[in-house]
Amino acid sequence: MDIGNRLLIAGGVLTGVAALLHIAMILGGADWYRFFGAGEEMAKLAASGSTYPAMNAAGIAVILGIWTLYAFSGAGVVRRLPFLRSVLALIAVVFLMRGVIGVPMVLLMDDPYAIELRARMMFVAVTSVIIFSLGLCYAIGTILLWRRS
């Protein structure tokens, strides 16, 4: 198995874990929303019984689940999905951009959620590095996939 496939599999596994963590937040409730950085407002909504946090987390989990399938498809683990290279490139761009702009956005934005996250800058920095690394897995894996097809 070549390095491109390994990177896409690693990216897919980590993206799948992120999808499962979003589902776990729904099941874990308000404290889980707080711990995973969703913010106090989202935690309060979850504690009050609002469906908004669950729908939001479920939507993110579905998107991450689809991205997981695309990573595995690019690695040849599952059948080839439509627009494979283009979708993988787009996923890479999204992860890389989020990884790069995560810290500056928190520092520069003036909304309550950004202000709340400023108190958790280590969390913001660590998640940004993880997400940027995911982007590298998708980007390099996709470039290598492109070269062999």
Side-chain angles (χ1 to χ4, degrees), residues 32-86:
W32 284 57
Y33 284 96
R34 281 185 194 95
F35 180 79
F36 286 107
E40 189 57 33
E41 183 64 28
M42 212 52 108
K44 286 179 182 177
L45 286 170
S48 73
S50 171
T51 60
Y52 178 75
M55 297 299 286
N56 191 13
I60 293 169
V62 167
I63 291 167
L64 293 173
I66 292 168
W67 290 4
T68 298
L69 289 175
Y70 267 90
F72 291 158
S73 178
V77 175
V78 300
R79 74 173 183 83
R80 187 172 178 89
L81 295 173
F83 311 108
L84 180 62
R85 293 184 299 187
S86 298

Side-chain angles (χ1 to χ4, degrees), residues 11-44:
V13 167
L14 293 172
T15 306
V17 168
L20 292 174
L21 286 173
H22 280 81
I23 293 168
M25 278 195 314
I26 297 168
L27 301 174
D31 288 337
W32 284 57
Y33 284 96
R34 281 185 194 95
F35 180 79
F36 286 107
E40 189 57 33
E41 183 64 28
M42 212 52 108
K44 286 179 182 177

